[in-house]
Amino acid sequence: MTDKLKPLREQIDAIDAQILALLNQRAKVAQEVGHVKAETNAPVFRPEREAQVLRGVADRNPGPMVAGDVQTIFREIMSACRALEKRVTVAYLGPVGTFSEQAVYQQFGSAVEGLPCASIDEVFRATEAGTADFGVVPVENSSEGAINRTLDLMLQTTLLISGEVAIPVHHSLMSKTGGMDGVRVICAHSQALAQCQVWLNQNYPNLERRAVASNAEAARMAGEDPAMAAIASEIAGTQYKLGVVKPHIQDDPHNRTRFAVIGHLQTLPSGKDQTSIVLAVPNKAGAVYQLLAPLAKHNVSMTRFESRPARMGTWEYYFYVDVEGHVHEPAVAKAMAELKDQAAFFKVLGSYPLSLT
Amino acid sequence: MTDKLKPLREQIDAIDAQILALLNQRAKVAQEVGHVKAETNAPVFRPEREAQVLRGVADRNPGPMVAGDVQTIFREIMSACRALEKRVTVAYLGPVGTFSEQAVYQQFGSAVEGLPCASIDEVFRATEAGTADFGVVPVENSSEGAINRTLDLMLQTTLLISGEVAIPVHHSLMSKTGGMDGVRVICAHSQALAQCQVWLNQNYPNLERRAVASNAEAARMAGEDPAMAAIASEIAGTQYKLGVVKPHIQDDPHNRTRFAVIGHLQTLPSGKDQTSIVLAVPNKAGAVYQLLAPLAKHNVSMTRFESRPARMGTWEYYFYVDVEGHVHEPAVAKAMAELKDQAAFFKVLGSYPLSLT
């Protein structure tokens, strides 16, 4: 074998030497970029530029390397080049750890300084105060729906959304024994129960389903009571020493949790962007349809719509709306201007590159 | 600014195009390597080869890119090429999550399939059964010392150690309020208290220090009782909503947790290797010095020595010893042969590349 492998490995070594030289060439040019930026006090991290590079290499990737893996490599390359200018500090929500931290690395690569915070409020505070350059906060959790605290804080903050990250989330059925003998109740957050409904109907139609405060709470309960099984992430399961009965039982295999990247930055157009806004109308929820007419008029697609009862102030509901495009694009700008005129409350949360995944 | 940045970005784009082409050339050669390996049923993951590549690029790195960041990029490049042959599955200890998972990525890059397990036993079982290609288990935890369960299982398993990963660990002082007003007791695992002794003597000489079962337990207690502060990782702190009084208070700033990569693989020499063995002598611990004479005789350096009371069988103690070098090196081979002759019990746990960090 060694005889056949040796020339191939020599080829690889030669390629690696070229890659190494190019990486350092790139780093040198990136340093020059840093100097130019420093003269004008321009930001080190440009999400729209990084999104363009990542899309570009995936589009032009001839294979056989998988496009997603090419993007992972280039994310690290940009992260390493950026760190030569300044190591970006990113605040994130510590608890449940893994997903939020994963989101940080998915957006910024490894060469960042993570700043774990105890609450979503603290992530906003640390970023507003400049302790962190950016914050990463959950926006929508597939097991618990919209993260209300994030939406509330978005209303008040001066920070803008500069990016979006989606992390795949899997639900697994777990119990103390790893089996279903003696199990009478399946516990989970109501959203997780809903997301596994088809599978549960097929496999355990006769077991009681009980909605609890969170999937982590369900895992804790199952760890104490062998008559209970839990639907939760395997990370939560291992924390309470549960055995996996069946992994990945959610009906939608592409279940994701969404995070927003927040900061002081006004992101420029990347070519494939999204704009998040929040607005309110006085009293009548029926006024919403009419309110959104400017979007249709200017041919701006709405990709997400969420209403939320106001906890304070004059309005009954706030509406969180995502639309395709960047506020610098004429159609979007016109639609926004008209929305602003009509709505009782209107705020642009940010325009930013569409998440890659 | 745009005028100055544009030509620089064009330079970067041109470099990226070359890197992209080279990555795919490398992937093609890696596929050929895969075919050669498949003919002879040789393993996809060769830790000694990957260690050599990573050391090589760091040694030859001209800068300005930081050597550690270059290694991160090449780890991802090798991970992506390896995934074209086969996506390696790696079992790891799930609870407390982050560190073990981090160790998996640090060894294998991102293009792997992680398999979180509820216990160290399960990691061994999954790897022995072939459900996972490799396992990653903690060997020595700076807050709790040697991981006894791992050492016990190493005695019996047919698996070999094929690599070692070290992850930096920081201890922080935390409390419910983030301050020390009203705090009367500082809790932590005894090892963590010991590791922060100098700092504690300087800063809080008069507060009671209480050793508890684990740092996570200390964090939990501090979350319930404002009279207690905890020393723990910030990840544990965020889990129990503690505020950080002072980060990174351990006396040794390079505090690390060590993990072993276990698998069926016999790793070949990489040039900078380490060999782990375990041995026992009948009864007298005094016989140990004499037992280790072959190491000195053949000029083999011992880098780690740990004794552990036997929980079963004939011997009072087992001795876990790490030495420099690979069993394929003549001096190491001779020393091992002599040790084996003299010891009542002798087992090579594996020869593997020295950890990069």
Side-chain angles (χ1 to χ4, degrees), chain A residues 16 24 26 61 98 101, chain B residues 16 24 26 39 61 98 101:
Chain A
D16 285 351
N24 281 288
R26 192 191 199 281
N61 178 47
T98 336
E101 214 189 354
Chain B
D16 284 351
N24 281 288
R26 193 190 199 284
E39 282 169 20
N61 179 47
T98 337
E101 212 189 356

Side-chain angles (χ1 to χ4, degrees), chain A residues 85-229:
Chain A
E85 303 176 42
K86 179 179 183 298
R87 224 169 174 88
V88 171
T89 299
V90 184
Y92 65 94
L93 182 63
V96 199
T98 336
F99 288 135
S100 289
E101 214 189 354
Q102 214 177 312
V104 171
Y105 296 129
Q106 188 159 318
Q107 177 75 352
F108 295 93
S110 310
V112 287
E113 209 61 60
L115 181 71
C117 295
S119 66
I120 294 176
D121 292 61
E122 212 183 287
V123 176
F124 274 84
R125 267 199 303 276
T127 314
E128 283 166 355
T131 315
D133 301 300
F134 292 93
V136 169
V137 286
V139 173
E140 197 172 31
N141 184 312
S142 50
S143 61
E144 271 136 84
I147 310 294
N148 296 335
R149 192 65 196 147
T150 299
L151 297 185
D152 286 347
L153 291 168
M154 287 288 188
L155 275 182
Q156 306 157 17
T157 188
T158 55
L159 300 172
L160 290 168
I161 301 178
S162 67
E164 185 187 53
V165 186
I167 299 280
V169 170
H170 302 297
H171 294 312
S172 297
L173 181 64
M174 294 173 291
S175 71
K176 206 172 157 69
T177 61
M180 289 298 276
D181 285 354
V183 169
R184 291 192 311 272
V185 184
I186 297 175
C187 302
H189 187 273
S190 58
Q191 295 245 5
L193 287 173
Q195 288 170 0
C196 302
Q197 203 176 349
V198 173
W199 190 89
L200 289 172
N201 288 346
Q202 278 168 2
N203 291 276
Y204 296 101
N206 299 321
L207 287 190
E208 182 194 336
R209 295 172 206 173
R210 191 177 301 167
V212 296
S214 69
N215 291 348
E217 175 64 12
R220 196 191 58 73
M221 289 163 66
E224 286 179 357
D225 184 348
M228 291 189 175

Side-chain angles (χ1 to χ4, degrees), chain B residues 175-206:
Chain B
S175 71
K176 206 172 158 69
T177 61
M180 289 299 274
D181 285 355
V183 169
R184 291 192 311 272
V185 184
I186 297 175
C187 304
H189 187 272
S190 58
Q191 295 245 6
L193 287 174
Q195 287 170 1
C196 301
Q197 203 176 348
V198 173
W199 190 90
L200 289 172
N201 288 346
Q202 280 169 0
N203 292 277
Y204 296 101
N206 299 321

Side-chain angles (χ1 to χ4, degrees), chain A residues 235-274:
Chain A
I235 288 166
T238 53
Q239 215 143 16
Y240 296 103
K241 301 196 187 304
L242 303 184
V244 175
V245 178
K246 180 81 187 174
H248 301 191
I249 61 166
Q250 72 281 357
D251 301 328
D252 173 8
H254 303 298
N255 208 10
R256 285 166 191 282
T257 291
R258 293 168 59 235
F259 295 85
V261 182
I262 52 173
H264 298 275
L265 194 70
Q266 293 251 14
T267 305
L268 296 174
S270 76
K272 281 186 190 168
D273 301 281
Q274 175 166 296

Side-chain angles (χ1 to χ4, degrees), chain A residues 21-83:
Chain A
L22 287 165
L23 289 177
N24 281 288
Q25 270 184 41
R26 192 191 199 281
K28 267 184 208 151
V29 183
Q31 282 181 318
E32 285 183 57
V33 169
H35 297 150
V36 173
K37 283 183 181 173
E39 283 168 22
T40 53
N41 217 4
V44 167
F45 177 63
R46 295 260 39 147
E48 73 282 3
R49 164 73 179 159
E50 299 204 355
Q52 283 166 344
V53 170
L54 291 178
R55 271 181 221 139
V57 292
D59 287 348
R60 285 188 290 274
N61 178 47
M65 196 174 270
V66 175
D69 290 342
V70 169
Q71 288 181 323
T72 300
I73 293 165
F74 271 90
R75 190 178 295 117
E76 292 300 337
I77 292 175
M78 289 190 289
S79 192
C81 290
R82 201 198 309 132

Side-chain angles (χ1 to χ4, degrees), chain B residues 128-204:
Chain B
E128 283 166 353
T131 314
D133 300 300
F134 291 92
V136 168
V137 286
V139 173
E140 199 173 28
N141 185 311
S142 49
S143 60
E144 269 135 85
I147 310 294
N148 297 336
R149 191 66 196 148
T150 298
L151 297 184
D152 287 346
L153 291 168
M154 287 287 188
L155 275 181
Q156 306 157 17
T157 188
T158 55
L159 300 172
L160 291 168
I161 300 178
S162 67
E164 186 187 52
V165 186
I167 299 279
V169 170
H170 302 296
H171 295 312
S172 297
L173 181 64
M174 294 173 290
S175 71
K176 206 172 158 69
T177 61
M180 289 299 274
D181 285 355
V183 169
R184 291 192 311 272
V185 184
I186 297 175
C187 304
H189 187 272
S190 58
Q191 295 245 6
L193 287 174
Q195 287 170 1
C196 301
Q197 203 176 348
V198 173
W199 190 90
L200 289 172
N201 288 346
Q202 280 169 0
N203 292 277
Y204 296 101

